[in-house]
Amino acid sequence: MLLAIDTSAGTSVAVVDRDGGILSEHSVLDTRSHAEVIGDLISRCLTESGTAVTALSGVAVGMGPGPFTGLRVGIAAAEAFAFGAGKPVVRVVSHDAIAWGQSEPVLVVTDARRHEVYWSAYASPDAAGLPQRTHGPGLIKPAELEAEVPEFATYRRLDAATVSAGALGMLAETLFANKREFAGSQPLYLRSPDVTLSTGRKRVTA
């Protein structure tokens, strides 16, 4: 049983079970209130599903692609919860969760702000039902997608405003059951953060 969290687009939290499916899921579409709502969503999902923290086997978290500020809220929340509960964290590419359950080749597209989009291309799922990412994740202007994505016309475009934590959790369960690798530890920001630290000394006057 997993607590699943994704904040790569909106904020989504779920409790999932490999055999029982999605036991509880709550999402907020607002892309600027991750920190304000995530604690409440975690509490609601655990309460609604009747799941004790001790019953969880781990915490699954989406690693993006996603904007820097929002994405790091979910990752930090997952790591803090897992540390406090003494549970492991498993990491999943957020776009893979969107492609999860699709039966044909799809081009997953999510908003990257600044008039750009994140994209990932997927072939039909493999024998275990797992998404097979063929290209991406990438960052590009929408008008350039057709030229950038190899064999663009062979994919059904799938625009997503949020990532289902329920789908992400079930994908993590299936990856584990089939002994597949999880995502790496580095978030997929694909863009430098807006704020950078100054390397010079600040002059102070009395």
Side-chain angles (χ1 to χ4, degrees):
M1 193 177 301
L2 296 173
L3 175 70
I5 297 171
D6 191 278
T7 56
S8 61
T11 304
S12 185
V13 177
V15 173
V16 304
D17 178 74
R18 187 182 309 170
D19 299 317
I22 301 171
L23 304 182
S24 177
E25 180 173 15
H26 290 282
S27 301
V28 174
L29 291 178
D30 188 350
T31 60
R32 299 183 184 277
S33 64
H34 308 284
E36 290 80 3
V37 302
I38 194 165
D40 180 59
L41 296 186
I42 291 172
S43 178
R44 287 170 64 186
C45 285
L46 291 172
T47 300
E48 185 175 278
S49 64
T51 303
V53 173
T54 54
L56 295 170
S57 57
V59 181
V61 63
M63 300 301 286
F68 180 82
T69 302
L71 189 57
R72 67 178 178 174
V73 169
I75 295 171
E79 291 179 345
F81 185 96
F83 178 80
K87 307 292 181 179
V89 176
V90 294
R91 299 169 175 83
V92 179
V93 175
S94 300
H95 276 188
D96 291 1
I98 299 171
W100 166 253
Q102 302 298 318
S103 60
E104 60 186 323
V106 292
L107 176 66
V108 171
V109 180
T110 54
D111 183 21
R113 303 177 188 169
R114 302 186 192 173
H115 306 291
E116 292 180 312
V117 293
Y118 300 114
W119 67 273
S120 297
Y122 295 83
S124 298
D126 66 14
L130 291 165
Q132 299 189 92
R133 188 167 3 103
T134 56
H135 304 284
L139 175 70
I140 201 169
K141 293 186 181 300
E144 299 171 356
L145 262 174
E146 185 170 356
E148 176 73 10
V149 179
E151 301 180 321
F152 177 84
T154 64
Y155 299 100
R156 176 173 64 86
R157 179 165 170 167
L158 186 57
D159 289 85
T162 188
V163 178
S164 165
L168 186 137
M170 293 306 298
L171 174 56
E173 289 278 23
T174 307
L175 287 168
F176 179 80
N178 287 274
K179 298 181 172 58
R180 303 293 180 84
E181 290 186 2
F182 291 101
S185 60
Q186 294 301 312
L188 298 171
Y189 297 127
L190 305 188
R191 179 195 286 145
S192 299
D194 293 332
V195 178
T196 56
L197 296 176
S198 174
T199 56
R201 293 183 178 181
K202 184 176 180 181
R203 186 175 181 180
V204 178
T205 57

